Amino acid sequence: AFWTGLFSHTDPLDQDDIWDYLGGEAERPAAFPEIVFTLDELKEALHRTDKNKAPGDDDIRPVLFQGTSDQLLGNIARLLTTMANEEGPLPSWMKEGLAKTLYKKGRKDDPSNYRVIIMNSIFAKLYEKMLEIRGQKMVEEEVLKIFLSFFSM
């Protein structure tokens, strides 16, 4: 049910499906914690995003955000925060993208000689990048704690 809901447009994924999929392996939180994205996180995500990436179904390219004012970026961060908290950790708009087939090599009439890429909207790319950055920082902090506790013995 988890994977079907993830890729289905008719059966949206909800928080219960995630925990059903995990089969009790993880402790279910009472509610997902509120996500708050900051202006600095958005700026770092924009800095780490390839400016030449193809646009998704929103047709907005990352290069458009170069030189954007902090006020507009702050509004975008608040918009992403609101969207994330209203729909849960995997908002429905994150599960949609523009699918394109790319020819690899070989006979053009053989479907196995093509690969599919999904082009997400710029907001989905930024959302993913901010979560990735946040996750990296959390891992780095934990590794540092373990490293320092090893030497304090």
Side-chain angles (χ1 to χ4, degrees), residues 37-96:
F37 293 119
T38 65
L39 176 62
D40 290 335
E41 286 177 320
L42 180 59
K43 283 182 174 181
E44 188 173 350
L46 281 167
H47 178 73
R48 290 190 188 188
T49 301
D50 183 1
K51 304 297 183 259
N52 298 315
K53 285 269 191 188
D57 54 357
D58 60 3
D59 206 29
I60 300 173
R61 297 178 183 273
V63 73
L64 181 69
F65 291 104
Q66 283 183 325
T68 304
S69 72
D70 284 355
Q71 182 179 3
L72 179 59
L73 291 178
N75 289 336
I76 292 170
R78 281 190 293 283
L79 174 69
L80 290 172
T81 296
T82 302
M83 293 168 85
N85 290 315
E86 284 180 358
E87 294 193 43
L90 186 63
S92 60
W93 54 270
M94 290 277 297
K95 296 183 277 180
E96 298 175 7

Coordinates of all heavy atoms in Angstrom, one line a residue, residues 37-96:
F37 N 11.2 26.0 7.8 CA 12.3 26.3 6.9 C 12.7 27.8 7.1 O 11.9 28.7 7.2 CB 12.0 26.1 5.4 CG 11.7 24.7 5.1 CD1 10.5 24.2 4.6 CD2 12.7 23.7 5.3 CE1 10.3 22.9 4.3 CE2 12.5 22.4 5.0 CZ 11.3 22.0 4.5
T38 N 14.0 28.0 7.2 CA 14.5 29.4 7.4 C 15.0 30.0 6.1 O 15.3 29.2 5.1 CB 15.7 29.4 8.4 OG1 16.8 28.7 7.9 CG2 15.2 28.8 9.7
L39 N 15.2 31.3 6.1 CA 15.8 31.9 4.9 C 17.2 31.4 4.6 O 17.5 31.2 3.5 CB 15.8 33.5 5.2 CG 16.4 34.3 4.1 CD1 15.7 34.2 2.8 CD2 16.5 35.8 4.5
D40 N 18.0 31.2 5.6 CA 19.3 30.7 5.4 C 19.3 29.3 4.8 O 20.2 29.0 4.0 CB 20.1 30.7 6.8 CG 20.4 32.1 7.3 OD1 20.5 33.0 6.4 OD2 20.6 32.2 8.5
E41 N 18.4 28.4 5.3 CA 18.3 27.1 4.7 C 17.9 27.2 3.2 O 18.5 26.5 2.3 CB 17.3 26.2 5.4 CG 17.7 25.7 6.8 CD 16.6 25.0 7.5 OE1 15.5 25.4 7.4 OE2 17.0 24.0 8.1
L42 N 17.0 28.1 2.9 CA 16.6 28.2 1.5 C 17.7 28.8 0.6 O 18.0 28.3 -0.5 CB 15.4 29.2 1.4 CG 14.8 29.4 0.0 CD1 14.4 28.1 -0.7 CD2 13.7 30.4 0.0
K43 N 18.5 29.7 1.2 CA 19.6 30.3 0.4 C 20.7 29.2 0.2 O 21.2 29.1 -0.9 CB 20.3 31.4 1.2 CG 19.5 32.7 1.1 CD 20.2 33.8 1.9 CE 19.6 35.1 1.7 NZ 20.3 36.2 2.4
E44 N 20.9 28.4 1.2 CA 21.9 27.3 1.0 C 21.4 26.3 0.0 O 22.2 25.8 -0.8 CB 22.2 26.6 2.4 CG 23.3 25.6 2.3 CD 23.7 25.1 3.6 OE1 23.3 25.6 4.7 OE2 24.5 24.1 3.6
A45 N 20.1 26.0 0.0 CA 19.6 25.0 -0.9 C 19.7 25.6 -2.4 O 20.0 24.9 -3.3 CB 18.1 24.7 -0.6
L46 N 19.4 26.9 -2.5 CA 19.5 27.5 -3.8 C 21.0 27.5 -4.3 O 21.3 27.3 -5.5 CB 19.0 28.9 -3.8 CG 17.5 29.1 -3.9 CD1 17.1 30.5 -3.5 CD2 17.0 28.7 -5.2
H47 N 21.9 27.7 -3.4 CA 23.3 27.7 -3.7 C 23.8 26.3 -4.2 O 24.6 26.2 -5.1 CB 24.2 28.2 -2.5 CG 25.6 28.2 -2.7 ND1 26.2 29.1 -3.5 CD2 26.6 27.3 -2.3 CE1 27.5 28.8 -3.6 NE2 27.8 27.7 -2.8
R48 N 23.2 25.3 -3.5 CA 23.6 23.9 -3.9 C 22.8 23.3 -5.1 O 23.2 22.2 -5.5 CB 23.4 23.0 -2.7 CG 24.3 23.2 -1.5 CD 24.2 22.1 -0.5 NE 24.9 22.4 0.7 CZ 25.0 21.5 1.6 NH1 24.5 20.3 1.5 NH2 25.7 21.7 2.7
T49 N 21.8 24.0 -5.5 CA 21.0 23.5 -6.7 C 21.7 23.9 -8.0 O 22.1 25.1 -8.1 CB 19.6 24.1 -6.6 OG1 19.0 23.7 -5.4 CG2 18.7 23.6 -7.7
D50 N 21.8 23.0 -8.9 CA 22.4 23.3 -10.2 C 21.5 24.3 -10.9 O 20.3 24.0 -11.1 CB 22.5 21.9 -11.0 CG 23.2 22.1 -12.3 OD1 23.6 23.3 -12.7 OD2 23.3 21.1 -13.1
K51 N 22.1 25.4 -11.3 CA 21.3 26.5 -11.9 C 20.8 26.1 -13.3 O 19.9 26.7 -13.9 CB 22.1 27.7 -12.0 CG 22.7 28.2 -10.7 CD 21.6 28.6 -9.7 CE 22.2 29.2 -8.5 NZ 22.2 28.3 -7.4
N52 N 21.4 25.1 -13.9 CA 21.1 24.7 -15.3 C 20.1 23.5 -15.3 O 19.9 22.9 -16.4 CB 22.3 24.3 -16.1 CG 23.2 25.5 -16.2 OD1 22.8 26.6 -16.5 ND2 24.5 25.3 -16.0
K53 N 19.5 23.1 -14.2 CA 18.6 22.0 -14.1 C 17.4 22.4 -15.0 O 16.9 23.5 -15.1 CB 18.1 21.8 -12.7 CG 19.1 21.1 -11.8 CD 18.9 19.6 -11.9 CE 19.7 18.9 -10.9 NZ 19.6 17.5 -11.1
A54 N 16.8 21.3 -15.6 CA 15.6 21.5 -16.4 C 14.4 21.8 -15.5 O 14.3 21.3 -14.4 CB 15.3 20.2 -17.2
P55 N 13.5 22.6 -16.0 CA 12.3 23.0 -15.1 C 11.3 21.8 -15.1 O 11.3 21.0 -16.0 CB 11.7 24.2 -15.8 CG 12.1 24.0 -17.3 CD 13.5 23.4 -17.2
G56 N 10.5 21.7 -14.1 CA 9.5 20.7 -14.0 C 8.2 21.2 -14.6 O 8.2 22.1 -15.5
D57 N 7.1 20.7 -14.1 CA 5.8 21.1 -14.7 C 5.4 22.5 -14.4 O 4.5 23.1 -15.0 CB 4.7 20.1 -14.2 CG 4.6 20.0 -12.7 OD1 5.4 20.6 -12.0 OD2 3.7 19.3 -12.3
D58 N 6.1 23.2 -13.5 CA 5.9 24.6 -13.2 C 6.6 25.5 -14.2 O 6.4 26.7 -14.2 CB 6.2 25.0 -11.7 CG 7.7 24.7 -11.4 OD1 8.4 24.3 -12.3 OD2 8.0 24.9 -10.2
D59 N 7.6 25.0 -14.9 CA 8.3 25.7 -15.9 C 9.2 26.8 -15.3 O 9.5 27.8 -16.0 CB 7.4 26.2 -17.1 CG 8.2 26.4 -18.4 OD1 9.2 25.6 -18.6 OD2 7.8 27.3 -19.2
I60 N 9.6 26.7 -14.1 CA 10.4 27.7 -13.4 C 11.8 27.1 -13.3 O 12.0 26.0 -12.7 CB 9.9 28.1 -12.0 CG1 8.5 28.6 -12.1 CG2 10.8 29.1 -11.3 CD1 7.8 28.9 -10.8
R61 N 12.8 27.8 -13.8 CA 14.2 27.4 -13.7 C 14.9 27.9 -12.5 O 14.6 29.1 -12.1 CB 15.0 27.8 -15.0 CG 14.4 27.2 -16.2 CD 15.2 27.7 -17.5 NE 14.6 27.1 -18.7 CZ 14.9 26.0 -19.2 NH1 15.8 25.2 -18.6 NH2 14.3 25.5 -20.3
P62 N 15.8 27.2 -11.9 CA 16.5 27.7 -10.7 C 17.3 29.0 -10.9 O 17.4 29.8 -10.0 CB 17.5 26.5 -10.4 CG 16.9 25.3 -11.0 CD 16.2 25.8 -12.2
V63 N 17.7 29.2 -12.1 CA 18.5 30.5 -12.4 C 17.6 31.7 -12.2 O 18.1 32.8 -11.9 CB 19.0 30.5 -13.9 CG1 17.9 30.6 -14.9 CG2 20.1 31.5 -14.0
L64 N 16.3 31.6 -12.2 CA 15.4 32.7 -11.9 C 15.6 33.2 -10.5 O 15.3 34.4 -10.3 CB 13.9 32.2 -12.1 CG 12.8 33.2 -11.9 CD1 12.9 34.3 -13.0 CD2 11.5 32.6 -11.9
F65 N 16.0 32.4 -9.6 CA 16.1 32.9 -8.2 C 17.5 33.6 -7.9 O 17.7 34.1 -6.8 CB 16.0 31.7 -7.2 CG 14.6 31.2 -7.2 CD1 14.2 30.0 -7.9 CD2 13.6 31.9 -6.6 CE1 12.9 29.5 -7.9 CE2 12.3 31.4 -6.6 CZ 11.9 30.2 -7.2
Q66 N 18.4 33.6 -8.9 CA 19.6 34.4 -8.7 C 19.3 35.8 -8.5 O 18.6 36.4 -9.3 CB 20.6 34.1 -9.9 CG 21.3 32.8 -9.8 CD 22.3 32.7 -11.0 OE1 22.0 33.2 -12.1 NE2 23.3 32.0 -10.7
G67 N 19.9 36.4 -7.5 CA 19.7 37.9 -7.2 C 18.3 38.2 -6.7 O 17.9 39.4 -6.7
T68 N 17.6 37.2 -6.3 CA 16.2 37.5 -5.7 C 16.4 38.1 -4.3 O 17.3 37.7 -3.5 CB 15.4 36.1 -5.6 OG1 15.4 35.6 -6.9 CG2 14.0 36.4 -5.1
S69 N 15.5 39.0 -4.0 CA 15.6 39.7 -2.7 C 15.3 38.7 -1.5 O 14.6 37.7 -1.7 CB 14.6 40.8 -2.6 OG 13.3 40.3 -2.5
D70 N 15.9 39.1 -0.4 CA 15.6 38.3 0.8 C 14.2 38.2 1.2 O 13.7 37.3 1.8 CB 16.5 38.8 2.0 CG 17.9 38.4 1.9 OD1 18.3 37.7 1.0 OD2 18.7 38.9 2.7
Q71 N 13.5 39.3 0.9 CA 12.0 39.4 1.3 C 11.3 38.3 0.5 O 10.4 37.6 1.1 CB 11.5 40.8 1.0 CG 10.0 40.9 1.4 CD 9.5 42.3 1.1 OE1 10.2 43.2 0.6 NE2 8.3 42.6 1.5
L72 N 11.5 38.2 -0.8 CA 10.8 37.2 -1.6 C 11.3 35.8 -1.2 O 10.4 34.9 -1.1 CB 11.1 37.5 -3.1 CG 10.5 36.5 -4.1 CD1 8.9 36.5 -3.9 CD2 10.9 36.7 -5.5
L73 N 12.5 35.6 -1.0 CA 13.0 34.3 -0.5 C 12.4 33.9 0.8 O 12.1 32.7 1.0 CB 14.5 34.2 -0.5 CG 15.3 34.3 -1.8 CD1 16.8 34.3 -1.6 CD2 14.9 33.2 -2.7
G74 N 12.3 34.9 1.7 CA 11.6 34.6 3.0 C 10.2 34.2 2.8 O 9.7 33.3 3.5
N75 N 9.5 34.8 1.9 CA 8.1 34.4 1.6 C 8.0 33.0 1.0 O 7.1 32.3 1.3 CB 7.5 35.4 0.6 CG 7.2 36.8 1.3 OD1 7.0 36.8 2.5 ND2 7.1 37.8 0.5
I76 N 9.0 32.7 0.2 CA 9.0 31.3 -0.4 C 9.3 30.3 0.7 O 8.7 29.2 0.8 CB 10.1 31.2 -1.5 CG1 9.7 32.1 -2.7 CG2 10.3 29.8 -1.9 CD1 10.7 32.2 -3.8
A77 N 10.2 30.6 1.7 CA 10.5 29.7 2.8 C 9.2 29.5 3.6 O 8.9 28.4 4.0 CB 11.6 30.3 3.6
R78 N 8.5 30.6 3.9 CA 7.3 30.5 4.7 C 6.2 29.7 3.9 O 5.5 28.9 4.5 CB 6.7 31.9 5.0 CG 7.4 32.5 6.2 CD 6.7 33.8 6.7 NE 6.8 34.9 5.7 CZ 7.9 35.6 5.5 NH1 9.0 35.4 6.2 NH2 7.8 36.6 4.7
L79 N 6.1 29.9 2.6 CA 5.2 29.1 1.8 C 5.5 27.6 1.8 O 4.6 26.8 2.0 CB 5.3 29.6 0.3 CG 4.4 28.8 -0.7 CD1 3.0 29.0 -0.5 CD2 4.8 29.2 -2.1
L80 N 6.8 27.2 1.7 CA 7.2 25.8 1.8 C 6.9 25.3 3.2 O 6.5 24.1 3.3 CB 8.7 25.7 1.4 CG 9.0 25.9 -0.1 CD1 10.5 25.9 -0.3 CD2 8.3 24.8 -0.9
T81 N 7.1 26.1 4.2 CA 6.9 25.7 5.6 C 5.4 25.4 5.7 O 5.0 24.3 6.3 CB 7.3 26.7 6.6 OG1 8.7 26.9 6.5 CG2 6.9 26.4 8.0
T82 N 4.5 26.3 5.3 CA 3.1 26.1 5.4 C 2.6 24.8 4.6 O 1.9 24.0 5.1 CB 2.4 27.3 4.8 OG1 2.8 28.5 5.5 CG2 0.9 27.2 4.9
M83 N 3.1 24.7 3.4 CA 2.7 23.5 2.6 C 3.2 22.2 3.2 O 2.4 21.2 3.2 CB 3.3 23.6 1.2 CG 2.7 24.8 0.4 SD 3.6 25.2 -1.1 CE 2.9 24.0 -2.2
A84 N 4.4 22.2 3.8 CA 4.9 21.0 4.5 C 4.1 20.6 5.7 O 3.8 19.4 5.9 CB 6.3 21.2 4.8
N85 N 3.7 21.6 6.5 CA 2.9 21.3 7.7 C 1.5 21.1 7.5 O 0.8 20.4 8.3 CB 3.1 22.5 8.7 CG 4.6 22.5 9.2 OD1 5.1 21.5 9.5 ND2 5.2 23.7 9.2
E86 N 0.9 21.5 6.4 CA -0.5 21.2 6.1 C -0.7 19.8 5.6 O -1.7 19.2 5.9 CB -1.1 22.3 5.1 CG -1.3 23.6 5.7 CD -1.9 24.6 4.7 OE1 -2.0 24.2 3.5 OE2 -2.2 25.7 5.1
E87 N 0.2 19.3 4.9 CA 0.0 18.0 4.2 C 0.9 16.9 4.8 O 0.8 15.8 4.3 CB 0.3 18.1 2.7 CG -0.7 19.0 2.0 CD -0.6 18.8 0.5 OE1 -0.5 17.7 0.0 OE2 -0.7 19.9 -0.2
G88 N 1.8 17.2 5.8 CA 2.6 16.1 6.3 C 4.0 16.1 5.6 O 4.3 17.0 4.8
P89 N 4.8 15.1 6.0 CA 6.2 15.1 5.6 C 6.4 14.9 4.1 O 7.4 15.3 3.5 CB 6.9 14.0 6.4 CG 5.7 13.1 6.7 CD 4.5 14.0 6.9
L90 N 5.4 14.3 3.4 CA 5.5 14.1 1.9 C 4.2 14.7 1.3 O 3.3 14.0 1.0 CB 5.6 12.6 1.6 CG 5.9 12.3 0.1 CD1 7.2 12.9 -0.3 CD2 5.9 10.8 -0.1
P91 N 4.3 16.0 1.1 CA 3.1 16.7 0.5 C 2.7 16.1 -0.9 O 3.6 15.6 -1.6 CB 3.5 18.1 0.3 CG 4.7 18.3 1.2 CD 5.3 17.0 1.3
S92 N 1.5 16.1 -1.2 CA 1.0 15.5 -2.5 C 1.7 16.2 -3.7 O 1.9 15.5 -4.7 CB -0.5 15.7 -2.6 OG -0.9 17.0 -2.6
W93 N 1.9 17.5 -3.6 CA 2.6 18.1 -4.8 C 4.0 17.6 -5.0 O 4.6 17.8 -6.1 CB 2.5 19.7 -4.6 CG 3.1 20.2 -3.3 CD1 2.4 20.3 -2.2 CD2 4.5 20.5 -3.1 NE1 3.3 20.8 -1.2 CE2 4.5 20.9 -1.7 CE3 5.6 20.6 -3.8 CZ2 5.7 21.3 -1.1 CZ3 6.8 21.0 -3.3 CH2 6.8 21.4 -1.9
M94 N 4.6 17.0 -4.0 CA 5.9 16.4 -4.2 C 5.9 15.1 -4.9 O 7.0 14.7 -5.4 CB 6.6 16.2 -2.8 CG 6.9 17.4 -2.0 SD 8.5 18.0 -2.5 CE 9.6 16.7 -2.1
K95 N 4.8 14.5 -5.0 CA 4.7 13.2 -5.7 C 4.4 13.4 -7.2 O 4.2 12.4 -7.9 CB 3.6 12.3 -5.1 CG 4.0 12.0 -3.6 CD 2.9 11.0 -3.0 CE 1.8 11.8 -2.5 NZ 0.7 11.0 -1.9
E96 N 4.3 14.6 -7.7 CA 4.0 14.8 -9.1 C 5.2 15.4 -9.8 O 5.9 16.2 -9.2 CB 2.8 15.7 -9.2 CG 1.5 15.1 -8.6 CD 0.3 16.1 -8.6 OE1 0.5 17.2 -9.2 OE2 -0.7 15.7 -8.0

